[in-house]
Amino acid sequence: MKRGILLLLTATFAAGCSFAPDYSQPRQELPATWCEPSQKKEPSALDCAAPEVEYASLSRQWWKRFQDKTLDKLVEKALSRNRDITQGVARVDRARAVLLAARGELFPSVAAQGNGVRSRPSLDTSETNGLARAIGGLENRLNRLEGEPVSSSSAPSRTGAVWSGAVQAAWELDIWGKWRNTASAARESLLSAEEAQKALALSVAGQVCSAYFELLNCDAQLGFTEKTLASRKASAELYERQYEMGAISELDILNVRTQVDSLKDSVAQLQARREQAESALFLLTGAEPRDIYEGVAERGKALASLPAVPQLPAGLPSELLTRRPDIVSAEAALRAAHFQVGVARAAFFPSISLTGSIGVESTQLNSLFSGTSEAWSFGGSASLPLLTFGRTLGAVRQSEASLRELAASYEKTVQGAFRDIRNALALQKGMAEGAQSLERAAMRMEKAAELARKRYAAGYSPYLDVLEAERTEYTARMQFLERRSAQLSAIAQVCVALGGGW
């Protein structure tokens, strides 16, 4: 007993051993701040100095900055019903279950066991009954020689029973850190799954915003096109009468008819595009198949009334990018790979297990719990791999290769984050400037079309000038609406790139 206690204490003392390599975050040269492109030409501490803006926490409900309650409802619906997110939640639950099982390996397994066996062996195969018959035959021969009566006693009963009950325990000592590293790897894998789920939710929210802005853009373009078409039809009827009277040439009336037909085609194309935008939004929000096929998406504010969020200030701290859930997830997966190397290396060393049981055992059920039925056992075993023909070494090299792969994946994730924010900032700035320019152009062309109509009515210019001015006005207005939608989507992309907002 003392030896068992000494062995247990020795194993516990040695349990601090681990073959997992020490973790150190891969080093990369990160900018302390985010600079505007103009500031990058001549980098200096003054150019890239961070402004006095509070960046203590990210806004996790960044879509509310667009001040549209309908958009808020759509995003919340997507976060709770989107099937990709549902799959992500299941992956997190699975990782949590793996961690629970891994932690259980650190402790002994205890089980209760009960047995009851009643048996009757064959007469031919029972050694006891064979011996009894031989002894009985010998006694009868002796009785005949001595004149005694022959015994007619039967053989003893071949039916017997054994009843037992015990509590058994088994424990593999974690001398080399195998199970502790397994549990640590499972813990990091759970963190990686949780952060990957957050990254997925962030991406879905961004997709919902972009799909919603596209839907509003289709509504705005379709409404403007239908209004323009109605006006062109009314004008076309007037010009048809003038053509019949010979007031305008055939060239003019052909241009009028062509413009009307072109607008009809634009209406048809925009209606199809709006249907596609609605179905995409339904899919993102986890709608039922019937709603995807037959439903009409809810609208909130018009595209023109959504607030234009100001651009990010220069000098955005790069610390924000380290909060991106995909970066946190990649680093957690890298840490898990470090622990997996320790698990693989521990296979080179012996495994020691302790087993024990305590219970009762008796041939009579009614005496199973008497004092004489007590039974116990205690033991241990050790195993050391001698020849594995490369299996253990291959497992170690595989885990080390996975470690290098995940290190490169982490570095690429960080690189991708800086690429995303740079592209998103540049896109947002370009879209904002473009939207302002196109809005001014549309207003100018609206005035130009009105002047062309007045000049034509006064006889100073041909009707072709009117058609050209109206066509240019329509194109400029449609381009502005398209750019306005892209500007709002770019703002959403900036929020996603920053891991939730600023």
Side-chain angles (χ1 to χ4, degrees):
M1 188 67 179
K2 292 182 179 180
R3 291 182 178 179
I5 296 175
L6 181 61
L7 177 62
L8 181 61
L9 291 176
T10 303
T12 304
F13 177 76
C17 183
S18 175
F19 295 105
D22 295 333
Y23 173 76
S24 59
Q25 188 182 59
R27 287 190 175 184
Q28 291 178 285
E29 295 183 3
L30 303 180
T33 56
W34 190 267
C35 305
E36 290 291 335
S38 60
Q39 296 171 324
K40 293 174 185 175
K41 295 178 182 178
E42 298 178 1
S44 67
L46 294 178
D47 287 337
C48 297
E52 296 180 0
V53 181
E54 182 64 36
Y55 295 109
S57 63
L58 298 178
S59 172
R60 293 304 175 187
Q61 293 182 324
W62 52 267
W63 53 87
K64 290 188 175 181
R65 68 180 62 248
F66 295 106
Q67 302 175 16
D68 190 330
K69 293 183 178 179
T70 300
L71 176 59
D72 298 343
K73 290 167 55 179
L74 290 172
V75 173
E76 294 296 338
K77 188 181 294 185
L79 295 180
S80 61
R81 295 172 50 182
N82 182 274
R83 295 304 185 267
D84 290 333
I85 291 181
T86 302
Q87 294 179 38
V89 171
R91 286 191 290 269
V92 172
D93 292 339
R94 181 175 60 193
R96 187 174 289 111
V98 171
L99 175 59
L100 179 63
R103 285 175 173 172
E105 296 290 350
L106 295 170
F107 303 95
S109 60
V110 182
Q113 184 179 15
N115 290 312
V117 179
R118 188 172 180 83
S119 63
R120 180 182 182 185
S122 168
L123 185 62
D124 295 333
T125 60
S126 174
E127 296 180 359
T128 302
N129 282 281
L131 180 61
R133 288 198 305 272
I135 294 174
L138 179 60
E139 289 179 349
N140 287 334
R141 284 194 295 271
L142 290 174
N143 289 336
R144 288 193 189 97
L145 292 175
E146 296 175 356
E148 297 291 335
V150 179
S151 173
S152 60
S153 60
S154 61
S157 173
R158 289 179 287 119
T159 302
V162 177
W163 307 93
S164 64
V167 175
Q168 300 176 338
W171 185 21
E172 181 179 345
L173 301 181
D174 193 24
I175 299 177
W176 318 114
K178 172 183 176 182
W179 298 120
R180 283 181 290 108
N181 285 329
T182 299
S184 297
R187 184 183 65 249
E188 296 297 337
S189 296
L190 173 59
L191 175 60
S192 178
E194 290 174 341
E195 293 299 324
Q197 169 68 8
K198 294 178 183 178
L200 178 60
L202 181 63
S203 175
V204 168
Q207 294 176 50
V208 170
C209 290
S210 295
Y212 181 71
F213 298 146
E214 169 64 11
L215 180 59
L216 296 186
N217 177 41
C218 291
D219 287 341
Q221 289 189 343
L222 182 58
F224 180 71
T225 302
E226 289 176 338
K227 179 181 177 181
T228 304
L229 177 59
S231 175
R232 297 294 187 273
K233 284 182 177 180
S235 299
E237 293 177 359
L238 176 61
Y239 295 135
E240 288 286 354
R241 290 194 294 268
Q242 292 180 355
Y243 173 69
E244 294 174 357
M245 296 171 56
I248 61 175
S249 66
E250 184 179 5
L251 178 61
D252 290 339
I253 195 62
L254 289 175
N255 278 282
V256 170
R257 293 170 182 171
T258 300
Q259 193 175 63
V260 171
D261 289 336
S262 178
L263 288 171
K264 288 180 179 179
D265 175 69
S266 297
V267 169
Q269 297 303 318
L270 286 169
Q271 288 174 341
R273 183 176 166 185
R274 183 174 64 178
E275 291 289 335
Q276 294 173 350
E278 282 191 320
S279 63
L281 192 58
F282 276 126
L283 181 63
L284 287 168
T285 54
E288 295 296 329
R290 184 181 62 182
D291 294 331
I292 295 176
Y293 187 74
E294 301 176 351
V296 177
E298 185 180 358
R299 272 76 159 176
K301 292 183 176 181
L303 184 68
S305 61
L306 290 174
V309 182
Q311 290 181 233
L312 290 179
L316 184 67
S318 60
E319 179 188 356
L320 282 177
L321 297 183
T322 64
R323 303 178 190 177
R324 278 176 46 135
D326 58 338
I327 295 179
V328 179
S329 176
E331 186 174 7
L334 178 59
R335 289 196 298 267
H338 278 75
F339 291 114
Q340 289 293 352
V341 172
V343 174
R345 290 175 178 174
F348 280 114
F349 298 88
S351 61
I352 300 175
S353 299
L354 302 178
T355 59
S357 68
I358 183 171
V360 291
E361 187 177 45
S362 176
T363 58
Q364 300 295 327
L365 184 61
N366 56 5
S367 62
L368 184 61
F369 296 100
S370 63
T372 58
S373 65
E374 294 180 357
W376 62 270
S377 67
F378 177 80
S381 64
S383 64
L384 175 65
L386 297 178
L387 292 175
T388 61
F389 299 97
R391 287 190 294 271
T392 304
L393 179 60
V396 172
R397 290 180 177 176
Q398 180 180 353
S399 63
E400 291 174 344
S402 297
L403 177 61
R404 295 193 301 271
E405 178 185 3
L406 289 172
S409 176
Y410 169 77
E411 293 173 349
K412 184 178 179 181
T413 302
V414 175
Q415 292 170 347
F418 279 86
R419 175 207 60 196
D420 292 344
I421 186 60
R422 176 172 183 169
N423 292 347
L425 284 172
L427 182 63
Q428 186 212 21
K429 181 180 180 182
M431 291 300 170
E433 295 175 352
Q436 294 175 359
S437 300
L438 289 175
E439 185 178 19
R440 291 192 298 265
M443 294 175 62
R444 285 195 296 266
M445 290 313 303
E446 182 180 1
K447 184 177 180 180
E450 181 63 25
L451 290 175
R453 285 189 288 270
K454 290 181 178 180
R455 288 177 59 82
Y456 170 74
Y460 293 120
S461 62
Y463 185 67
L464 287 176
D465 291 350
V466 176
L467 292 178
E468 182 61 27
E470 290 178 344
R471 186 184 300 111
T472 306
E473 176 197 3
Y474 173 77
T475 302
R477 180 64 60 180
M478 296 293 283
Q479 288 179 343
F480 164 69
L481 293 174
E482 191 77 31
R483 194 59 49 85
R484 172 66 171 172
S485 173
Q487 178 191 8
L488 295 172
S489 295
I491 294 171
Q493 291 180 30
V494 170
C495 295
V496 172
L498 291 174
W502 65 90

